[in-house]
């Protein structure tokens, strides 16, 4: 996250006119430029009530810009944002009534966990008894009840993160916006918190928009993933669709299709099965979009390149092997000098000759890049 927003402790105001439940949030051609540079170009997206949407993409692709436009921390340059039939891009952040959780939790250091979480309710003049009940509920939801009287400085990073989440949800926002909220946590805590975020989302039945550059996080959390590159949407789809059927090579690369092989298609087609040759190998693949006869690019994930792949494969010589716990990541080179990445469940050694094979459905074929 960069640019506009040093996420201050929550901006508070009277309950917002837009703060109630909604059917859908709609972004229509939302564009944000900084000077001449377009950080977000014409994002059109509808988020339904109860949906968990992740914005995924490499650093600088415009994820935070999109989130900040929705939050109201950045004005849009063009386009509009709607909650049902109410236009909200003209409202101040506090008038939109969204919950926000950012990378740095921005807790009040001098207030206890309970006071931090209850701050928004106090500002909204929620009666004391009701506020107490809601804070207790939020504490239970993020499993921090026994830490209620501690100061943020007495908590671990993950616990502070959960306070930030509780603070965002206690005011019962219809939409929670999260910008890389787990980025400061270690791998184990990230996975635990991921599960908790999903659970909290499901329990509350509200909508969440979540920014991350971590594909695992995006896939595991989301109902739908929005993949961005250079400020433009590359694909919007279910995690399964984005993972198994990337819309283009950029999405494929980002989804871990590390083998991108220049080959030639035997025939033109509108999509579907295609025979491929070149670089001294022959493969069958599946065209993801219409392709012409001749040059194409085939994308294969290392997990889908079967080593010891049977008679119809091609041979590769092992160059290097990395132990990954569950399996080995293997770099191979074919006789023609093509370098490939595969995975092997059994230990192999540099110099070994292996037969490589990939199922045609897992060899994704795209037109050559211009
Ligand atoms: P990261 O994962 O690194 O946070 P991101 O996908 O969230 O990246 P953004 O922060 O949205 O990316 O930035 C998108 C583009 O807009 C980048 O090129 C960035 O340099 C630019 N940008 C963002 N904020 C500003 C700003 N306040 N002024 C000028 N350029 C900005």
């Amino acid at each position: 996250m960069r640019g506009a927003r040093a996420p201050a402790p929550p901006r508070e105001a009277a309950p917002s006119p837009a703060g109630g439940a909604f059917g859908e949030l709609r972004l229509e051609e939302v564009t944000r430029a900084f000077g001449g540079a377009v950080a977000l170009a014409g994002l059109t997206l509808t988020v339904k009530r109860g949906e968990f949407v992740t914005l995924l993409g490499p650093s600088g692709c415009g994820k935070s810009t999109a989130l900040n436009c929705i939050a109201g921390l950045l004005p849009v340059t063009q386009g509009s944002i709607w909650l049902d039939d109410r236009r909200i891009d003209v409202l101040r952040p506090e008038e939109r009534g969204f919950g926000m959780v950012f990378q740095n939790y921005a807790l009040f250091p001098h207030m206890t966990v309970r006071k931090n979480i209850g701050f928004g309710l106090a500002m909204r003049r929620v009666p004391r008894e009701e506020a107490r009940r809601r804070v207790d509920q939020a504490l239970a939801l993020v499993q921090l009840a026994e830490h209620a009287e501690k100061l943020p400085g007495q908590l671990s990073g993950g616990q502070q993160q959960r306070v930030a989440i509780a603070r965002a949800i206690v005011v019962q926002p219809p939409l929670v916006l999260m910008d890389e909220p787990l980025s400061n946590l270690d791998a184990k805590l990230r996975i635990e918190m991921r599960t908790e975020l999903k659970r909290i989302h499901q329990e509350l039945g509200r909508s969440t928009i979540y920014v991350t550059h971590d594909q695992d996080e995006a896939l595991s959390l989301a109902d739908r993933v929005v993949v961005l590159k250079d400020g433009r949407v590359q694909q919007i789809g279910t995690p399964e669709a984005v993972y198994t059927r990337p819309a283009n090579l950029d999405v494929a690369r980002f989804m871990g299709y590390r083998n991108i092989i220049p080959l030639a298609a035997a025939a033109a087609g509108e999509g579907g099965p295609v025979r491929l040759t070149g670089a001294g190998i022959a493969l069958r693949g599946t065209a993801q979009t219409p392709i012409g006869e001749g040059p194409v690019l085939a994308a294969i994930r290392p997990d889908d390149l079967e080593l010891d792949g049977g008679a119809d494969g091609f041979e590769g010589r092992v160059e290097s092997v990395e132990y990954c716990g569950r399996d080995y990541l293997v770099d191979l080179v074919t006789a023609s000098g093509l370098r490939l990445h595969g995975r092997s469940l059994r230990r192999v050694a540099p110099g070994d000759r292996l037969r490589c094979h990939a199922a045609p459905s897992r060899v994704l074929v795209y037109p050559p890049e211009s």
Side-chain angles (χ1 to χ4, degrees):
M1 190 190 75
R2 341 178 177 173
R5 52 295 140 168
R11 296 156 168 254
E12 297 302 338
S16 78
F22 65 89
E24 62 181 33
L25 171 82
R26 238 171 26 260
L27 279 72
E28 293 184 355
E29 292 290 325
V30 171
T31 295
R32 170 68 204 196
F34 294 101
V38 176
L40 184 68
L43 173 61
T44 293
L45 172 71
T46 300
V47 178
K48 301 267 185 222
R49 181 176 183 175
E51 212 181 1
F52 199 123
V53 170
T54 54
L55 306 182
L56 174 67
S59 180
C61 70
K63 311 178 290 290
S64 296
T65 300
L67 202 75
N68 287 316
C69 287
I70 298 168
L73 300 176
L74 273 179
V76 306
T77 309
Q78 273 171 37
S80 55
I81 307 177
W82 301 77
L83 269 183
D84 298 325
D85 53 4
R86 181 184 176 82
R87 184 165 179 176
I88 62 155
D89 57 278
V90 290
L91 301 180
R92 291 195 304 274
E94 58 272 26
E95 292 173 323
R96 300 185 192 193
F98 300 153
M100 296 178 218
V101 185
F102 294 97
Q103 286 176 34
N104 46 346
Y105 331 128
L107 301 178
F108 297 113
H110 58 287
M111 286 187 192
T112 63
V113 166
R114 173 178 291 286
K115 287 234 163 72
N116 261 285
I117 297 174
F119 183 78
L121 298 174
M123 295 306 284
R124 286 170 169 77
R125 295 191 174 35
V126 173
R128 187 179 293 240
E129 266 318 297
E130 186 191 338
R132 187 167 184 87
R133 187 179 52 75
R134 281 166 62 176
V135 170
D136 283 341
Q137 267 176 359
L139 278 164
L141 203 60
V142 296
Q143 299 173 6
L144 281 178
E146 72 270 34
H147 300 285
E149 305 311 324
K150 289 187 179 166
L151 295 172
Q154 298 171 297
L155 301 178
S156 73
Q159 290 165 337
Q160 291 183 39
Q161 187 65 65
R162 281 184 272 163
V163 178
I165 292 165
R167 187 183 59 189
I169 60 180
V170 76
V171 293
Q172 300 175 348
L175 174 68
V176 182
L177 306 172
M178 299 195 183
D179 193 340
E180 308 245 8
L182 309 184
S183 58
N184 296 340
L185 308 184
D186 66 45
K188 179 170 172 288
L189 202 48
R190 270 181 95 106
I191 292 175
E192 282 171 19
M193 284 297 298
R194 209 199 269 175
T195 310
E196 284 194 42
L197 284 180
K198 186 85 183 173
R199 178 180 59 79
I200 290 168
H201 170 83
Q202 281 162 350
E203 272 182 35
L204 294 181
R206 304 300 172 100
S207 309
T208 304
I209 304 180
Y210 186 103
V211 160
T212 180
H213 63 268
D214 179 330
Q215 51 144 301
D216 288 340
E217 205 164 285
L219 296 178
S220 66
L221 284 170
D223 298 313
R224 274 191 310 151
V225 181
V226 179
V227 186
L228 291 165
K229 179 171 180 271
D230 298 335
R232 293 183 185 281
V233 170
Q234 305 295 308
Q235 186 167 3
I236 300 179
T238 62
E240 292 83 356
V242 170
Y243 184 83
T244 59
R245 297 188 304 281
N248 60 38
L249 273 170
D250 286 321
V251 180
R253 283 194 188 92
F254 199 67
M255 285 292 139
Y257 288 72
R258 288 182 66 200
N259 300 301
I260 308 285
I261 313 169
L263 294 169
E270 288 302 300
V274 56
R275 288 188 174 280
L276 307 165
T277 51
I281 65 175
L283 275 176
R284 284 183 301 141
T286 307
Q288 301 301 298
T289 57
I291 54 162
E293 183 184 341
V296 290
L297 290 166
I300 309 174
R301 294 176 58 84
D303 326 43
D304 293 325
L305 190 66
E306 294 166 29
L307 308 177
D308 286 340
D312 61 340
F314 54 88
E315 193 174 85
R317 186 175 47 78
V318 175
E319 283 249 307
S320 63
V321 183
E322 271 175 54
Y323 178 55
C324 304
R326 202 180 72 87
D327 58 8
Y328 298 85
L329 185 59
V330 183
D331 280 12
L332 308 108
V333 180
T334 65
S336 65
L338 183 65
R339 184 172 295 276
L340 296 170
H341 312 283
R343 285 187 174 276
S344 170
L345 284 172
R346 71 177 177 89
R347 173 180 274 285
V348 294
D352 287 356
R353 292 183 181 278
L354 304 176
R355 284 209 74 78
C356 312
H357 171 86
S361 62
R362 302 308 307 138
V363 178
L364 309 189
V365 182
Y366 297 91
E369 288 170 309
S370 49

